[in-house]
Amino acid sequence: MRGFLRRLAGHLTRGLVMIWVVVTFTFFLIRLMPGDPVQVQYEKLIAQGMSPDQAASATAVTYGFVPHGPVWKQYLEYLSGLIRLDLGVSVDSQGVAVADRVFGAMPWTVLLVLSGILVSFLVGVVLGVVAALKRSTAVGHSLSIAGSLLHGVPPFVIAIVLAAVFTRRYRWFPSGGQYNGDEVAPGFYYDFIGDVAYHAFLPAAAFAIASYGGWLLAMRSSVASVLGDDFLLAAELRGLTRMTRFRYLARNAILPLFTVLAISFGLVFGGSIFIERIFNYPGLGMLLFASIGARDFSMMSGAFLMITAAVIVANILADLLYTFIDPRVRRQA
Amino acid sequence: MRLSVRQRFWRGVWVALKRRPSRILGVIIMALFVFMAIAGPWFYPDRLPYNVDNMYAPISWDHPLSTDFEGVDVLALVITGTRGVLLVAVAAGLVTMLVGTAAGLYAGYRRGAADSVLMRIADFALTIPGFPLLIVLTTAMNFGAWWKMALVLGLIGWGGLARAVRSQTLSLRERGFIEAARGLGLPTRHIVTKELLPNVAPFIATNLLMAVTGYIYAQVGLYFLGVLPLDTSNWGVMLNAAVFQSGALISPDALPYLLAPLGAILLLTLGVVLIVDALEEIFNPRLREG
Amino acid sequence: MIEGRGITKTFASRGGVLGSQSVTALRGVDFLIPRGGAVSFIGESGCGKTTLGRILAGLETYDGGQLIVGDTDLSTLKPKAREPHFRRVQLIHQDPYSALNPTRTIESTLRDPLRLRAAQTGKPASWVASQTEELLSLVGLDPSYVLPRYPHQLSGGMRQRVVVARALTVEPEVLVADEAVSMIDVSLRLGILGLLRQLRETLGVSILFITHDVATARYVGADGELYVIYRGQVVERGPVETVLADPVHPYTQCLLSAIPVLHGLERPGEDRLVPKEPLDEKMEPAGCLFAPRCPFATEVCVSERPVLGRLGGTPQHHACFFPASRHVVATPLR
Amino acid sequence: MSIVELSTETLPGVAISGLTIAYRTDAGELAAVSDITLGLPAGTITGLVGESGSGKSTLALSLLGAVQKPGRVTAGSVVIDGIGDITKLDEHALQSVRGAQIGYVFQAAQNSLNPLKTVGKQLLDLGRSHRVKDLRGLLREAKVLLSRMGLAAERVLDSYQHELSGGMRQRVGIMFALVLNAHLLVLDEPTTALDMITQANILQIVRDVHAERGLTTLIVTHDVGVVAEVADRMAVMYGGRVVEHGQTMEILGAPRHPYTRGLISAIPRLTGPVDAAKPLPGTPPTLGTIPRTGCVFRQRCPLRMEICDTVAPAMIGGVACHAVNETEQL
C-alpha cells in the first residue's frame, strides 16, 4: 500500500509539472504571438473609447491577466486565475466564460474517447489473439495486414468514409449534435440515453475502427512472445486444461498493453478534432477547431489545456491500473 | 566468394524482399510515390488547366480520375500535390530520427542524470497530444517556410523513437560485447556507431518510415481542417473541398474527387505496411540467412 | 602483477527513497595475481567473485581499498587515467554469444581493436591482417573459415575462442575468465580450459579463473592459488592442491562435498558435509558469516567474526576459529 | 494419504521402441531422435546424458506425448505401464495423464511458473484441471511435500515466482510434479544453472522422494556428474541416437562407446594427475549437421572404420559401435 501511495504521489507530481509546463506554454504562446492578440484587443478597446484602465481590466477578464507591467506579474496573475479554474472569457463571443464552455464540452469527448477505446481495445485484443494463434494461416495473415493498414491510415480517412456512407449516402445516423434537443430533454432516462448513444455511435465507431488495428498488432506480438515462455509449456506438461492455459496466456499477454494504453490516449484525444469536426459533434475537439477558425485565442488555449489535462489524467489512471494488475509491481511495497 | 559489406547488405535486402511477393509490391508502391513527388510536377504546368464547364467529368482517358468542381483533372491534383507534403514529411522525419536516435543512444549509454532528464522530456513529448499542439502552433505561428513546418513536426514526434532506442540501448549495454569493446579501450564514438547503432538500425529505419507517413498525414490533416492556407493543391486541400465545401459526400458524380485522395492515402499506407514487414529481416543477419 | 588490498564494494539496491537497501558484495578482499600465474576464485553465485573480476577489468568501481596494477596504485589516479591500466586486464564473459556483436563478422570484430593498436604503436596496416590470422590460429581456429562468418554461424566453443582471441588483441597481462565454460557443450569445455592453460605457457598471461566448479579451476591452474569466497569475504586461501587435498574451512568442505561423485570410478569422501540451512543473503550475522549454516558453529562463531589467518598452524590461510581436516573429496578407486 | 506409503498400483515402467522424432525445417524433415529403443525399468532412476542438440530434451518430452511443433513422432512407440502407448493418445487423454500420472520438472533456469499468480493459486488450477474434489487435501499434500524439501510451505504457497530463489523454484517444480501422486517423474536438466551446493541439495531430494514414493525417474542432463550422483542406470545420447546404455556404475567404471569414453575422460577431477583429463576433438552436431547415414559419431571418433560411413551401428549388448562390437566378438 505504501508503495502504491508513493507511486501515486510520483505520478501526481509529474502530472502537475506537466500541466504547469503546458500552462506556461499557452501563456507565452498568446503573449508572444506575432501581432500579440492581447495587445491588439487592448488597443482596440481604447480606440473604441475606453479608458486605459477599463480596457486593461476588460482584457484581463478575457485572457486572465492585465496586458501591462512586468511579464512575470502577468504570468502569476494567469496562474492564480487558473488555480481558481478561471480560464478567462471567450474573445469571439463576449461574456462566455471559457471554463464553462470547456467543461461543458469535455464530457462529450470523454464519452466518445472512452467508448471508442474500450470497444477497440476489446476487439483488438480478441482479434490479436486470433492473429497470433493462427499466425501461419491465411486468417492470421489477413488479420495482421488489415490491422496494420487500419493502424496506419489516419483517423480522418475512416471518419470521412463512415460519414459519407452512413450519414449522407444512407441517412442511418444523424449528421451532427450530441442529442436531438427538439425531441428529448437532458435527463437520466431511457429515451435520452438512447438518443445520446444514437448520436455518439458513429463518431465512437470511428475512434474504435481507427485504433483497434494498433491493439491488434500490439496484442499479436505480445501473445507471440508469451507463447514462447516456458511457463505455458510447463502448464501444458502439468496437464492444465486448455481453458486454464488460455487464461494464463491471455492475462500475461494483455499486461504489457496497459503501458501502451497510456500512450494511446494522446493520439486518440488528438484524433477527436477530426472526428468531431467531420461528424459535427460538439466536444472539446470541435471547440478547439472552432476557436481556431474564429481566432478566439483564450478559448483555444483553454481547450488545448483541457485536452492535455485529460490525457495526463488518463495516463495516470492507465499506469495505476497496470500497477494494480501486475503483482511484480504491486508487491514492491 | 568474398563480398564486401555493402554487397552483402544489398543481397540481404533482395533475399528478404523475395521471400514474400507482397514486399516487392510494397517497394513498387513506395517507388511510385517517390517518383510522383520528384518528377510529378514536371509533367504539368504550374497552374493546372481548369474548365468550369467540365466539372465532375465522367471518367475518361483524358480524366482517368474525373475532374474537380472547377474541372481540374483529379489525377493531376493527386500527383502534383505529392511533392510539397512529402518534402516536409521527409525533412521532419529526418529531424525526428536525428533527435530521437541521439537522445535515445545518449540516455541509454550514459545513463544517470542525463538519462533521467532526457527521458522526462521524451515522456513529456509523448504525452502532450501532438495534433492539437500542432494546430495551436500552426495557428499561432503561421509557418511560412516549409522547413519551419518540418522542424516543428520533427520536434513534436521524437519522443517515441527516443524511448525505443533507449530501451534497446539499455538492453544491449547489458550484453557482453559492449562491455568487451569498452574493456578493449575502443573509443566511445566507435562503440556507439559501430557496435550499438547497427543493432538499433531496424528500429530506427522502421520508425523513420512510420514517422514520415505520420507527418504526411498530419499535414494532410491540417489542410483538411483548413488550418493551413488552402492556396496550394494537395490531398488535404482536396479532401477539405470535397467534404466541407463542394458536397462531394452527397453527389455521386463527385465521388472520384473524394475517393482519389483517400485512395492515395490508403495506397501509401499499404506500401509502408508491406515494407516495414521486410525491414526487420533486412537488418537482422540471423533472419537474413535463415 | 596485480594486487588488491582490502577491496570493498557495496551495491545500493534500488528501493526508492524510503526503502533503499544495500548489499555488501566485497568485505575487504586481499589478493595477488602474479605474472604468468593462475588464481582461482570459487564460491556460490552472489558471493562476490564476479564483482571482483569486473572490478579488475574496470567495468565496476570499488568503494574502498587499493588496486595495484604493475607498480601503479590505481586508487591514486583519476578515473580517466585508470583506463589504460584496466586494458591490461581482459574479461572473458560467461556467455560467448552475447559477448560478440551479432551484426558484425568475426573479421570486423577482431580488426577494430587491432587497428586502434596499430595506430597507437605505429604499426603498418598489413600488421592488422597478419595479426588477426595469427591470433585466430593461436586460439585454435581456422582463420579462413572463421573470419567471414557471423557469431551465430559458429558453435559455442568457437565463439568462446573468438572471444579469447579478441581479448588477446590488446596483449593483456591478465585474462579474467568468469564461468567461461559454463555455457559451452561439455565435450568442448576441456578444450577451452586447455587453451587458457596453454596461453599461460606460451604468452605468459596470468589467468584469474572464476568458477563454482572447483575441478575446472584445478585444471587451469593446479600450480596456482585458490581463493574460497563466501559472501564477499575470503574464507580460505592457499595453493590449489593444498586446499583441495586438505581443506580446513567448513564452507570449503561443503563446496567440495557437493561435487558429484563418479560412482564406479571413485569412492566418496567419508566426511562429506551438507550446510544446515540454505543461504539467506538478507541476514547479516554479527559473527562468522557462515555460522548460521555451519554444522560446527559454536557460541564464539555467532558473536565474533574470524579473520583470514593461519590459526592452528595450517599451511593455508583460513577464516575459521576451529579449522579441522575432514575428508570430503572423493578418491579414485584405481 | 501419506507420502511414504507406497502405491499399490503397478509401477510404471516405460518401454520406448523404435522412436523417431523429426522436425520440419526449411531443409526438409530432420530427425532429432532416431530409432531409439530404451527401457526405463519400474522403480529405477535412469540418467539420460547428452550435449545440446543430442535430442535428449525431445526424447524427454515424448514421454509426455508433448513433442513441440514443428516436431512430430514419425515412428515407434512409448509404452508406459498403466497408460499404454502415449504416442497414440488423444489430446484429452494426454491432458489427464500429464501432471497426474507423469510429473515433469523443468530446467532450473527456465521459469516454469505463471508470473502473475501465486504458487498456491496455480496449485488450485492444477487441482481443478485434474478434477480433484478435495482441494484442501491437495493443499495439505503440497505443504507436506514442500516442508519435506525444507521450505516454509505457507510462505512459498503465497509467493510469486519472482520472489523465489533458483533452488526454491526447483523444489516448487518438484512439488508440482509429484503433488498429484505421479509415479513417473521426468526431470529435464533439473540442476543446470544452480550452484554446486544447491545442486547437491536438489539431487539429494530427487533421490529421497524417488525412494519414498517408489517412482520411476528419468533425469535428463548434460552433466555426467549428475547422473553419477543419482542414477541407477544411464543412457548416453549423441546426434539423436542412444549410443550406450546400462548400469551407471558399470558404464562409469568401464565405458565402451568411444563417445562415452571421451565424455568421461574430458571431466577434470579433483584428485589424480591433472592431465588425466583429455579433451574430445571436434564439435557436436546440430539438427542440420547430423549425418543422415552411417554412425553419427564417426567424425570425432578415434576408432572410425570404413563401415561407419555407410551403416549405422546396431545396439548390441548396450553399445552401438562397429569397432566395439567387432573387438568384443573376437
Side-chain angles (χ1 to χ4, degrees), chain B residues 13-174:
Chain B
V13 171
W14 177 236
V15 170
L17 290 180
K18 231 173 27 180
R19 195 158 295 163
R20 284 202 199 143
S22 63
R23 292 173 178 170
I24 297 180
L25 179 67
V27 172
I28 293 173
I29 295 174
M30 286 309 277
L32 181 73
F33 277 101
V34 171
F35 178 75
M36 265 162 58
I38 295 172
W42 295 337
F43 294 111
Y44 297 98
D46 279 352
R47 182 82 180 88
L48 292 174
Y50 64 97
N51 175 5
V52 277
D53 296 335
N54 200 20
M55 56 186 271
Y56 305 136
I59 287 171
S60 65
W61 269 115
D62 282 346
H63 303 294
L65 293 178
S66 175
T67 55
D68 74 353
F69 54 93
E70 290 173 329
V72 182
D73 184 55
V74 169
L75 182 65
L77 282 172
V78 169
I79 291 178
T80 51
T82 317
R83 185 188 272 179
V85 173
L86 201 67
L87 175 70
V88 171
V90 168
L94 290 176
V95 171
T96 292
M97 187 178 85
L98 284 177
V99 177
T101 308
L105 282 177
Y106 190 80
Y109 188 68
R110 286 278 163 197
R111 296 190 290 192
D115 180 17
S116 305
V117 171
L118 275 173
M119 283 308 113
R120 281 279 164 271
I121 300 175
D123 278 346
F124 190 72
L126 263 175
T127 312
I128 300 294
F131 197 77
L133 176 64
L134 192 62
I135 298 196
V136 169
L137 280 176
T138 315
T139 317
M141 304 286 187
N142 264 331
F143 301 113
W146 65 269
W147 59 267
K148 284 189 194 158
M149 184 81 213
L151 201 64
V152 167
L153 275 172
L155 290 178
I156 286 178
W158 63 279
L161 179 62
R163 270 237 162 263
V165 169
R166 171 184 174 268
S167 73
Q168 278 291 303
T169 307
L170 276 180
S171 81
L172 286 168
R173 215 175 178 283
E174 300 297 308

Side-chain angles (χ1 to χ4, degrees), chain C:
Chain C
M1 187 200 75
I2 293 192
E3 191 183 353
R5 289 183 200 150
I7 303 281
T8 57
K9 173 75 185 176
T10 302
F11 288 104
S13 74
R14 281 156 63 96
V17 194
L18 298 169
S20 78
Q21 231 188 3
S22 57
V23 178
T24 310
L26 296 169
R27 309 165 193 261
V29 174
D30 300 327
F31 62 91
L32 183 81
I33 306 171
R35 188 162 247 291
V39 166
S40 303
F41 291 165
I42 65 166
E44 286 165 285
S45 60
C47 74
K49 57 188 198 295
T50 294
T51 309
L52 204 50
R54 292 176 57 81
I55 287 175
L56 279 181
L59 296 170
E60 201 85 70
T61 55
Y62 51 100
D63 301 338
Q66 289 169 288
L67 193 60
I68 299 150
V69 179
D71 13 77
T72 320
D73 181 355
L74 295 192
S75 323
T76 62
L77 297 177
K78 290 213 171 77
K80 264 276 169 217
R82 291 178 193 169
E83 277 177 15
H85 296 282
F86 284 129
R87 206 159 309 148
R88 293 151 77 178
V89 183
Q90 287 296 318
L91 184 67
I92 310 293
H93 282 82
Q94 175 178 7
D95 178 1
Y97 189 69
S98 78
L100 294 171
N101 191 335
T103 61
R104 315 192 71 202
T105 59
I106 306 306
E107 183 176 8
S108 61
T109 295
L110 291 178
R111 198 185 48 207
D112 290 329
L114 283 172
R115 276 198 184 147
L116 186 72
R117 187 139 190 98
Q120 284 165 349
T121 54
K123 294 217 170 64
S126 60
W127 175 82
V128 171
S130 68
Q131 188 69 5
T132 311
E133 303 210 344
E134 196 173 305
L135 283 174
L136 283 175
S137 310
L138 187 68
V139 298
L141 292 172
D142 171 11
S144 62
Y145 178 82
V146 173
L147 280 176
R149 287 190 156 65
Y150 286 95
H152 71 270
Q153 296 168 315
L154 304 179
S155 75
M158 284 173 152
R159 281 179 214 145
Q160 197 61 299
R161 285 172 194 267
V162 171
V163 170
V164 173
R166 181 182 57 190
L168 294 177
T169 56
V170 293
E171 292 167 38
E173 287 162 36
V174 182
L175 287 182
V176 177
D178 185 1
E179 301 283 6
V181 295
S182 69
M183 296 184 77
I184 290 170
D185 269 313
V186 207
S187 69
L188 303 178
R189 286 184 183 176
L190 206 66
I192 303 289
L193 297 174
L195 171 65
L196 294 177
R197 213 161 72 159
Q198 172 211 329
L199 291 176
R200 279 183 63 200
E201 287 160 16
T202 54
L203 301 180
V205 182
S206 332
I207 305 280
L208 172 57
F209 195 75
I210 298 173
T211 184
H212 65 270
D213 183 355
V214 194
T216 56
R218 176 174 182 255
Y219 186 78
V220 173
D223 56 339
E225 267 207 310
L226 190 67
Y227 289 65
V228 181
I229 306 181
Y230 185 72
R231 297 192 62 185
Q233 188 194 4
V234 175
V235 293
E236 187 157 358
R237 162 191 176 178
V240 172
E241 296 289 17
T242 311
V243 176
L244 292 185
D246 191 16
V248 294
H249 195 286
Y251 177 65
T252 314
Q253 291 165 352
C254 285
L255 267 186
L256 295 180
S257 301
I259 296 168
V261 176
L262 296 187
H263 297 277
L265 272 178
E266 38 186 37
R267 191 177 49 243
E270 49 269 27
D271 302 326
R272 282 179 98 176
L273 275 189
V274 182
K276 280 197 310 186
E277 300 275 327
L279 176 61
D280 181 3
E281 283 178 341
K282 291 198 191 75
M283 193 167 62
E284 193 63 45
C288 173
L289 291 163
F290 189 58
R293 302 172 73 194
C294 181
F296 311 107
T298 63
E299 259 173 51
V300 63
C301 301
V302 177
S303 56
E304 265 181 71
R305 186 169 297 176
V307 291
L308 199 63
R310 283 208 165 104
L311 188 73
T314 56
Q316 70 266 52
H317 290 74
H318 62 83
C320 180
F321 292 123
F322 307 101
S325 289
R326 290 183 188 90
H327 198 240
V328 294
V329 175
T331 42
L333 286 174
R334 271 159 286 156

